[in-house]
Amino acid sequence: MTTKNRKQSVEQFKQFVKKHPQLITEVRKGNKGWQEVFEDWYLLGENDTIWQQYTEKVTKTEKKEEKKSDFFSQIVTAVKKMDAEQVNHHIHNMSSTIATLQNLVEQFGSKGTGQSNSAGNQPFSFRKD
């Protein structure tokens, strides 16, 4: 095999591996070696059924990526449809609700602190032996 043919076959193999990224994980896991994969590719060709197991997983990851991009497009669409005045109104309502809850907690908290001050700022009274 001449040097030019070797370089071409190596480049073709690199392109093949890019199309089948699961091969990289198989080699990294130690299930296969690059030499073995290259020999199988060279002898069997790109269209052999042995490579289907690596392409099916790629399509699954592509589907996951499509779902992610679809989710983000839905979020963007929802943000575009929001009315700023309604959002501002809801935020104002939430803010007033939180302020009311804080006032309630302070009222109940002040009753509790009056009792705990008599016990030396400790919620439980402990005696030293």
Side-chain angles (χ1 to χ4, degrees):
M1 189 184 271
T2 64
T3 307
K4 191 174 186 179
N5 287 342
R6 268 190 249 152
K7 287 182 181 179
Q8 285 178 349
S9 62
V10 169
E11 287 301 317
Q12 289 173 351
F13 179 68
K14 286 181 181 180
Q15 294 299 321
F16 173 74
V17 170
K18 286 180 183 178
K19 292 177 185 175
H20 301 84
Q22 285 300 115
L23 285 171
I24 298 170
T25 50
E26 287 293 317
V27 171
R28 288 183 181 165
K29 287 180 183 177
N31 297 337
K32 290 188 173 218
W34 284 118
Q35 184 67 36
E36 179 185 356
V37 173
F38 181 79
E39 289 172 358
D40 289 343
W41 171 80
Y42 190 77
L43 294 174
L44 301 173
E46 290 186 22
N47 299 326
D48 195 72
T49 57
I50 192 172
W51 310 120
Q52 287 179 351
Q53 62 186 352
Y54 304 109
T55 57
E56 290 174 5
K57 292 180 181 179
V58 172
T59 56
K60 288 179 184 177
T61 56
E62 288 175 355
K63 288 180 183 178
K64 288 180 184 177
E65 290 175 5
E66 287 176 10
K67 287 180 182 178
K68 287 180 185 177
S69 65
D70 186 41
F71 175 71
F72 288 123
S73 66
Q74 287 177 351
I75 289 175
V76 169
T77 306
V79 169
K80 286 181 181 178
K81 290 181 180 179
M82 278 197 280
D83 184 18
E85 290 180 22
Q86 283 183 345
V87 172
N88 192 21
H89 176 66
H90 291 299
I91 289 173
H92 178 70
N93 286 344
M94 291 278 293
S95 177
S96 63
T97 304
I98 290 171
T100 305
L101 288 172
Q102 286 176 337
N103 287 335
L104 284 172
V105 169
E106 286 176 8
Q107 287 177 357
F108 288 115
S110 64
K111 290 179 183 177
T113 56
Q115 293 172 354
S116 65
N117 284 338
S118 64
N121 288 333
Q122 295 179 356
F124 303 105
S125 61
F126 294 104
R127 287 187 267 169
K128 293 184 179 181
D129 290 332

